[in-house]
């Protein structure tokens, strides 16, 4: 029960981020060696109500830092935001759009870069952001992920639902974005309806998994394909997974001892080391993901409290005591 409020808050925050990310940054990551040139694109700026696009830098252990702003029509740069590296950044025009550029990349430039602008909605001004592009400074080569899709061990089918697990591994850099398509028997591939895009992502060192909850229509069978967007290109899972239509009613489950001897002999034990066959492993991953959410929330609350105490300075009672 302790984890439920944290999960609900996380879902709410994720929904708000998706709603706010109206600018388009298609580049998940960009990998460069020190000394090379890099530029960050930002599309959808026609939604901006002003002629400026702002660029922010976000490092792992730091807050968002404003770098500069670029005028959309001529690429003029306005600095003066006290960013320590502002002289390393410039603007370059590509495909009728002005991008943020670093002429010579340094290891200290490794961060995630976000574009932003002001939007006026019936005299209600607010900022809209892109989803961010991560700059990776390394001598390693970009390596596409290995992608596989499996039926995830779950009891969701008891409610007329099934789940699929798409695993991306061995990629450099580790950032990926998942998407799904489905195909009816002898039909064409189609995008999933919005109501069927419930997805949970689990990240570990060197691999990322996405669990898709499938609302399978009755009297129909679909094959699902998983796609992974990566800096090295788009990768499609080599196999499809077929999800049968849910049964009208589920018979009660029986213990293996109730089965005939022939059926018991045909039973194959699940491999406890296989994460796609073990229901316990999937539940453990979900629990781990929830714990990470709680830790993140506690870290944010602690950091906010620390900053608040720091801004207030020494308390008055301590001054009187002196």
């Amino acid at each position: 029960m302790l984890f439920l409020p944290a999960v609900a808050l996380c879902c709410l925050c994720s929904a708000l981020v998706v709603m706010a990310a109206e600018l388009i940054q298609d580049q998940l990551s960009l990998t460069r060696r020190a000394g090379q040139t890099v530029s960050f694109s930002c599309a959808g700026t026609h939604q901006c109500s002003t002629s400026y696009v702002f660029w922010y830098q976000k490092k792992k252990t730091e807050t968002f830092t404003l770098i500069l702003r670029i005028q959309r029509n001529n690429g003029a740069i306005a600095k003066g935001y006290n960013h320590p590296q502002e002289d390393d950044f410039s603007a370059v025009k590509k495909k009728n759009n002005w991008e943020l550029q670093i002429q010579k990349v340094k290891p200290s430039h490794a961060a995630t870069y976000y574009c932003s602008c002001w939007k006026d909605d019936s005299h209600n001004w607010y900022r809209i952001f892109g989803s961010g592009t991560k700059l990776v400074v390394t001598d390693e080569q970009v390596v596409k992920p290995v992608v596989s899709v499996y039926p995830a061990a779950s009891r969701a089918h008891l409610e007329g639902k099934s789940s699929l697990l798409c695993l991306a591994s061995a990629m450099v850099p580790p950032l990926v974005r998942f998407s799904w398509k489905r195909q009816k028997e002898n039909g064409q591939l189609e995008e999933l309806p919005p109501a069927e895009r419930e997805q949970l992502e689990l990240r570990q060192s060197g691999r990322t998994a996405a669990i898709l909850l499938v609302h399978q229509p009755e009297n129909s069978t679909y094959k699902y394909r998983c796609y992974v967007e990566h800096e090295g290109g788009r990768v499609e899972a080599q196999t499809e997974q077929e999800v049968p239509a849910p049964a009208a009613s589920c018979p009660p489950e029986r213990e293996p001892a109730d089965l005939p001897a022939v059926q018991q002999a045909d039973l194959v034990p699940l491999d406890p080391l296989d994460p796609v066959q073990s229901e316990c492993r999937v539940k453990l991953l979900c629990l781990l993901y929830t714990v990470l959410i709680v830790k993140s929330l506690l870290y944010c609350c602690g950091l906010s409290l620390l900053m608040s105490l720091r801004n207030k300075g020494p308390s008055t009672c301590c001054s009187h005591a002196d």
Side-chain angles (χ1 to χ4, degrees):
M1 296 300 294
L2 176 62
F3 297 142
L4 293 180
V7 174
L9 180 59
C10 178
C11 294
L12 176 60
C13 293
S14 300
L16 292 176
V17 170
V18 171
M19 292 174 61
E22 297 184 30
L23 296 180
I24 302 172
Q25 291 182 259
D26 286 331
Q27 304 158 310
L28 278 175
S29 62
L30 292 171
T31 301
R32 295 291 186 273
R33 293 185 175 90
Q36 292 185 325
T37 301
V38 67
S39 62
F40 305 91
S41 64
C42 180
T45 54
H46 61 277
Q47 306 173 80
C48 303
S49 300
T50 63
S51 59
Y52 294 100
V53 173
F54 298 83
W55 282 93
Y56 290 82
Q57 182 188 68
K58 173 68 175 70
K59 294 188 177 182
K60 280 186 177 181
T61 58
E62 300 178 9
T63 59
F64 283 80
T65 307
L66 180 57
I67 307 170
L68 50 76
R69 68 182 188 185
I70 301 176
Q71 194 161 340
R72 292 190 289 129
N73 56 354
N74 59 14
I77 291 178
K79 299 182 180 180
Y81 298 104
N82 298 321
H83 191 282
Q85 299 172 317
E86 65 178 13
D87 293 334
D88 297 340
F89 296 88
S90 59
V92 60
K93 190 173 185 180
K94 292 186 178 181
K95 298 181 180 179
N96 299 321
N97 197 13
W98 289 94
E99 300 183 358
L100 180 70
Q101 183 184 61
I102 304 175
Q103 190 65 37
K104 290 186 178 181
V105 171
K106 304 175 184 177
S108 58
H109 291 139
T112 303
Y113 293 85
Y114 297 85
C115 60
S116 172
C117 69
W118 286 100
K119 186 174 182 178
D120 180 16
D121 185 8
S122 301
H123 304 290
N124 180 24
W125 288 84
Y126 59 94
R127 282 188 182 273
I128 57 177
F129 287 82
S131 56
T133 299
K134 185 173 183 179
L135 174 61
V136 180
V137 184
T138 179
D139 291 333
E140 291 186 82
Q141 295 289 336
V142 174
V143 179
K144 289 184 179 182
V146 177
V147 181
S148 303
V149 59
Y150 310 92
S154 172
R155 294 186 180 274
H157 63 278
L158 297 178
E159 300 176 1
K161 302 176 184 177
S162 301
S163 55
L164 296 174
L165 185 145
C166 185
L167 180 65
S169 59
M171 60 275 190
V172 178
L175 272 71
V176 292
R177 180 188 294 133
F178 292 92
S179 62
W180 298 80
K181 289 186 178 182
R182 70 182 185 185
Q183 182 180 23
K184 202 171 183 179
E185 294 180 85
N186 302 322
Q188 295 183 344
L189 282 173
E190 62 182 22
E191 299 288 342
L192 292 182
E196 298 185 22
R197 295 176 187 170
E198 298 180 42
Q199 179 173 282
L200 173 67
E201 292 190 13
L202 306 171
R203 301 182 185 273
Q204 271 188 330
S205 177
R207 68 190 67 182
T208 301
I211 299 177
L212 177 70
L213 188 61
V214 178
H215 302 264
Q216 185 75 345
E218 293 186 12
N219 302 322
S220 62
T221 299
Y222 284 97
K223 291 183 178 180
Y224 288 80
R225 293 185 184 180
C226 175
Y227 301 86
V228 176
E229 299 291 340
H230 184 259
E231 182 180 342
R234 193 185 198 197
V235 181
E236 178 184 351
Q238 296 298 316
T239 58
E240 297 177 337
Q241 281 296 328
E242 182 173 325
V243 179
S249 60
C250 297
E253 296 185 356
R254 294 188 296 172
E255 296 295 331
D258 297 332
L259 297 174
V262 176
Q263 294 185 8
Q264 291 187 43
D266 293 336
L267 292 178
V268 179
L270 294 177
D271 183 357
L273 299 179
D274 189 346
V276 301
Q277 292 184 346
S278 173
E279 181 177 357
C280 294
R281 186 66 179 270
V282 173
K283 289 183 178 180
L284 182 60
L285 289 176
C286 293
L287 179 60
L288 176 62
Y289 185 72
T290 305
V291 171
L292 292 176
I293 293 172
V294 175
K295 290 177 64 177
S296 299
L297 291 174
L298 291 177
Y299 174 78
C300 292
C301 293
L303 184 60
S304 300
L305 179 60
L306 182 61
M307 293 179 64
S308 176
L309 295 176
R310 183 180 178 183
N311 292 333
K312 287 182 179 180
S315 63
T316 55
C317 64
C318 294
S319 300
H320 290 311
D322 294 336

